[in-house]
Amino acid sequence: GTTAGAAILQREDLGRIAKGCRADITAFSLKRVDYAGGVTDPLGSLLMAGAWSRATLTMVEGRIAVKDGKLTRQDEDRIVEAANESSRRMLADAGKAELISL
């Protein structure tokens, strides 16, 4: 599927794992109770059964961006706080009362 997509885009540096190609890859662990019983259809399990959506490993251009389900180059707590602050600001701008303060 990825080689055909790369061909449609006329991108020879995509669609396969090889020297000189972009190294974007994501791996998920199915060793969670969410996916129990889905070993015969791992893709189906990921798409339909599991509630855990975090990748175990993600590499972008050959650099690890997610390891063991955690961002490696970003501060997750800071991202959450910034998103929550933006949400509070948008609600205040819309005239809505803040319901919960975290």
Side-chain angles (χ1 to χ4, degrees):
T2 56
T3 54
I8 290 169
L9 296 172
Q10 299 177 350
R11 296 284 306 266
E12 293 183 17
D13 60 331
L14 304 176
R16 64 189 189 286
I17 299 174
K19 186 176 180 178
C21 292
R22 296 197 176 271
D24 295 355
I25 189 167
T26 299
F28 295 87
S29 174
L30 299 180
K31 293 182 179 181
R32 299 186 50 83
V33 71
D34 312 45
Y35 304 113
V39 295
T40 59
D41 186 4
L43 181 58
S45 293
L46 285 168
L47 295 175
M48 296 180 279
W52 183 256
S53 60
R54 283 194 174 221
T56 301
L57 172 75
T58 299
M59 292 179 67
V60 178
E61 294 190 359
R63 295 184 348 206
I64 296 174
V66 174
K67 183 177 181 182
D68 299 326
K70 301 281 186 192
L71 295 174
T72 60
R73 296 182 284 181
Q74 300 288 330
D75 182 339
E76 291 185 10
D77 292 334
R78 194 172 71 197
I79 292 169
V80 169
E81 186 51 43
N84 287 338
E85 180 56 34
S86 292
S87 178
R88 286 190 281 271
R89 196 170 47 253
M90 286 188 291
L91 286 171
D93 290 348
K96 303 291 182 186
E98 186 175 327
L99 299 176
I100 298 175
S101 180
L102 298 175

